[in-house]
Amino acid sequence: VLTSESALPTTLAFRPMVRADLPMFAEWTARPHVAEWWESPGTLAEIEEEYVDSLSGVDSTRCFIVLGDAAPIGFIQVYSAVDGHADGWWLDEHDVGVRGIDQFLAHQSQLNRGLGTRLIRTFVAELFRDPMVTRVQTDPAVENARAIRCYTKAGFVLHREVETTDGRAALMYCERPGL
Ligand SMILES: CC(C)(COP(=O)(O)OP(=O)(O)OC[C@H]1O[C@@H](n2cnc3c(N)ncnc32)[C@H](O)[C@@H]1OP(=O)(O)O)[C@@H](O)C(=O)NCCC(=O)NCCS
């Protein structure tokens, strides 16, 4: 029997994550293929605490549920690198046009089939619709070869390796087309 999760979706869309999504988000981050690379804040209460400011707009990070043919299939967030300074992130970055993204696919059966590449290409193209955005960055763990390969296919290039609070990461850049 083919489940909806073993087929790949035709269309991708993004809707803002809301508080009611957090139990689903918590369950996703506990799945082994996500937990391997995505440090969950822990319990649902801890996740609510970590994400409340983004969901309410107090901080500028925006969280989205990825929809594949209208069904939730993943998560992606976008932040301003300069806004990360308050928490000690990206202190060398002074360009207010730089955005960063973090993401995962929720269904293990959909990994390694090009969906992540499509997701990132689509989302990055939407970010560049904002003329203020100069560059999009992402920072997979250096050991996350699948993610690095996916981001490379989606147009990102390694800038340099960086030490983050989440460990050693490959800081990758996708410059605004035409710059
Ligand atoms: C990272 C992620 C979004 C990528 O999406 P995806 O749909 O799996 O990626 P794609 O299928 O588009 O591309 C993966 C590529 O990596 C390759 N790959 C897979 N495992 C690999 C490995 N161990 N070493 C090298 N390359 C690998 C695949 O063959 C494919 O490349 P190819 O098309 O040239 O053959 C998804 O795998 C995911 O959510 N992973 C779990 C959580 C995670 O790691 N999130 C990212 C945190 S930075």
Side-chain angles (χ1 to χ4, degrees), residues 76-150:
I76 189 162
Q77 65 183 15
V78 54
Y79 57 86
S80 156
V82 164
D83 288 355
H85 292 186
D87 297 318
W89 284 83
W90 316 119
L91 298 176
D92 299 338
E93 185 57 72
H94 301 289
D95 180 347
V96 296
V98 174
R99 299 290 174 271
I101 57 173
D102 304 298
Q103 52 275 316
F104 62 77
L105 294 175
H107 305 308
Q108 162 120 52
S109 60
Q110 295 185 329
L111 263 53
N112 263 326
R113 298 165 64 194
L115 186 60
T117 304
R118 274 174 62 203
L119 157 66
I120 288 158
R121 281 207 184 113
T122 306
F123 193 77
V124 167
E126 289 201 10
L127 293 179
F128 281 132
R129 287 174 59 188
D130 177 350
M132 292 291 293
V133 174
T134 54
R135 179 196 301 142
V136 180
Q137 69 176 36
T138 194
D139 63 331
V142 291
E143 304 88 2
N144 196 348
R146 180 177 56 205
I148 291 171
R149 174 73 189 132
C150 169

Side-chain angles (χ1 to χ4, degrees), residues 37 39 89 102 139 141 143 163-169:
W37 299 111
E39 197 173 343
W89 284 83
D102 304 298
D139 63 331
E143 304 88 2
E163 218 45 71
T164 78
T165 49
D166 297 339
R168 196 154 183 82

